[in-house]
Amino acid sequence: MDIGLVLQTDPPARLLVDRMVRAERAGFSHGWTFDSCVLWQEPFVIYSRILAETTTLTVGPMVTNPSTRTWEVTASLFATLNDMYGNRTVCGIGRGDSAMRVAGRRPATLARLSEAMHAIKELAEGRTVEVDGTEMHLPWVREGALPVWMGAYGPKALALTGRQADGFILQLADPYLTEYMIKAVRAAAAEAGRDPDTVTICVAAPAYVTADDSPAALAHAREQCRWFGGMVGNHVADLVTHYGEHSSLVPEALTAYIKDRQGYDYSHHGRAGNPDTAFVPDEIVDRFCLIGPPAAHRDRLEHLRSLGVDQFAVYAMHDAVEATIDAYGNDVIPRLRQEARPGEG
């Protein structure tokens, strides 16, 4: 299982670059960032610096969207980075949440997202594609490769992921929901005539490593990660609006916890202490996130790997970013690699 690191592009950018360099040295395979240009700094500028100071790290947004930039611009950004640093990018993409709503716009439809994923991939890999009625081609692209991974929760989005995307990004680490959604993606892939095993599965969630499992340590970790339930709740609220509160198409294990949700202020988006996430109970924090001593993280990751997860991406928006990177480098990643070798346990 690969381990990625997800950060927000808060200034100073130098600190983010240093943390990504630290993560590569610790054994992380991917460096991800949010992509909401009003709330944070422009990520593609920072990716260039990260790639220049690392040798193996793959970088990309978790996630971009079809509307902030035109598709040829997005494709050119990825293709330029790949040409400079050797195909070390991945395009995480979704309908758009914070990036669109902060700018007063609606998230894209799934149909529009599907068209965008196709166009961005084709252009970034050097092929000709029609964009909004105009044929386009990036003639300077040579041997470009851009995997496109889609973020999804709802049944229609999961089906689109399975039909089209190279990878699936699930932003929560609850084993039951992970298994449920992986099955939906793989079933859609098989129905579309694809090999389901070729769809890379990435689970992304906060991870907070504690020194022990004392009540005080776990309580602090939960408070540092509670914001995540609020962020996921934005997507869940959309699902409830679209499918209904008790729809058989969306598992109640995902939707039940938002009944006391009162709204959301994006100025606190993805930050510890977000006042709009008080409705998120401890049970959801424990289910959706990884908290506790290193052994607890290893146990959950082994469970996720047994369900078919290829990468776990660590959201590190809390008060222990470097400590979490180091703990994973010292106590989690080496053990995961060792246990994955045949004949060793």
Side-chain angles (χ1 to χ4, degrees), residues 102-124:
V102 165
R105 304 184 184 107
R106 296 171 61 88
T109 65
L110 288 177
R112 188 71 174 165
L113 175 57
S114 175
E115 293 174 1
M117 289 195 296
H118 174 71
I120 291 167
K121 184 176 181 67
E122 293 297 292
L123 289 169

Side-chain angles (χ1 to χ4, degrees), residues 224-253:
Q224 288 295 306
C225 297
R226 197 175 305 277
W227 62 266
F228 183 67
M231 186 183 82
V232 173
N234 295 331
H235 303 285
V236 175
D238 283 346
L239 294 177
V240 170
T241 298
H242 187 77
Y243 293 101
E245 189 173 351
H246 301 291
S247 171
S248 62
L249 297 174
V250 183
E252 190 174 356

Side-chain angles (χ1 to χ4, degrees), residues 64-79 91 93-94 108-124 129-134 136 138 146:
T64 192
N65 66 82
S67 307
T68 300
R69 306 172 188 86
T70 60
W71 303 343
E72 67 273 17
V73 169
T74 300
S76 182
L77 288 166
F78 282 112
C91 176
I93 192 168
T109 65
L110 288 177
R112 188 71 174 165
L113 175 57
S114 175
E115 293 174 1
M117 289 195 296
H118 174 71
I120 291 167
K121 184 176 181 67
E122 293 297 292
L123 289 169
V129 69
E130 187 175 290
V131 177
D132 294 333
T134 299
M136 293 187 185
L138 303 181
L146 181 65

Side-chain angles (χ1 to χ4, degrees), residues 55-331:
T55 57
T56 62
L57 204 69
T58 296
V59 304
M62 189 175 282
V63 291
T64 192
N65 66 82
S67 307
T68 300
R69 306 172 188 86
T70 60
W71 303 343
E72 67 273 17
V73 169
T74 300
S76 182
L77 288 166
F78 282 112
T80 300
L81 292 172
N82 285 338
D83 185 66
M84 293 172 68
Y85 300 106
N87 290 338
R88 290 169 54 202
T89 68
V90 56
C91 176
I93 192 168
R95 295 175 57 228
D97 177 35
S98 60
M100 297 304 294
R101 289 180 165 126
V102 165
R105 304 184 184 107
R106 296 171 61 88
T109 65
L110 288 177
R112 188 71 174 165
L113 175 57
S114 175
E115 293 174 1
M117 289 195 296
H118 174 71
I120 291 167
K121 184 176 181 67
E122 293 297 292
L123 289 169
E125 295 187 347
R127 293 182 290 275
T128 299
V129 69
E130 187 175 290
V131 177
D132 294 333
T134 299
E135 192 173 85
M136 293 187 185
H137 174 237
L138 303 181
W140 48 268
V141 174
R142 298 289 183 271
E143 299 181 356
L146 181 65
V148 176
W149 297 5
M150 180 179 157
Y153 292 106
K156 293 180 180 178
L158 294 170
L160 174 59
T161 303
R163 290 195 305 270
Q164 183 175 348
D166 300 307
F168 167 42
I169 296 173
L170 173 59
Q171 292 171 311
L172 54 79
D174 174 73
Y176 169 78
L177 291 171
T178 298
E179 183 175 21
Y180 178 97
M181 294 186 186
I182 288 175
K183 286 181 177 178
V185 168
R186 287 183 168 162
E191 187 175 343
R194 305 177 68 194
D195 180 354
D197 291 334
T198 63
V199 181
T200 302
I201 307 296
C202 175
V203 162
Y208 197 102
V209 182
T210 60
D212 53 45
D213 58 359
S214 66
L218 295 179
H220 179 77
R222 289 188 185 105
E223 289 311 310
Q224 288 295 306
C225 297
R226 197 175 305 277
W227 62 266
F228 183 67
M231 186 183 82
V232 173
N234 295 331
H235 303 285
V236 175
D238 283 346
L239 294 177
V240 170
T241 298
H242 187 77
Y243 293 101
E245 189 173 351
H246 301 291
S247 171
S248 62
L249 297 174
V250 183
E252 190 174 356
L254 177 62
T255 61
Y257 83 97
I258 69 162
K259 65 181 185 303
D260 295 325
R261 180 179 181 269
Q262 299 298 317
Y264 195 82
D265 181 351
Y266 280 92
S267 66
H268 307 290
H269 189 59
R271 300 190 186 280
N274 185 336
D276 295 324
T277 60
F279 72 93
V280 179
D282 287 352
E283 179 225 352
I284 288 294
V285 180
D286 292 346
R287 280 174 44 202
F288 285 12
C289 307
L290 273 66
I291 64 172
H297 291 249
R298 295 194 299 264
D299 289 347
R300 177 76 71 85
L301 292 172
E302 286 293 349
H303 191 176
L304 292 172
R305 178 158 62 182
S306 74
L307 299 176
V309 175
D310 300 297
Q311 179 182 154
F312 176 66
V314 175
Y315 276 113
M317 294 80 176
H318 48 54
D319 64 1
V321 178
E322 285 88 358
T324 298
I325 293 170
D326 294 346
Y328 264 67
N330 293 327
D331 302 317

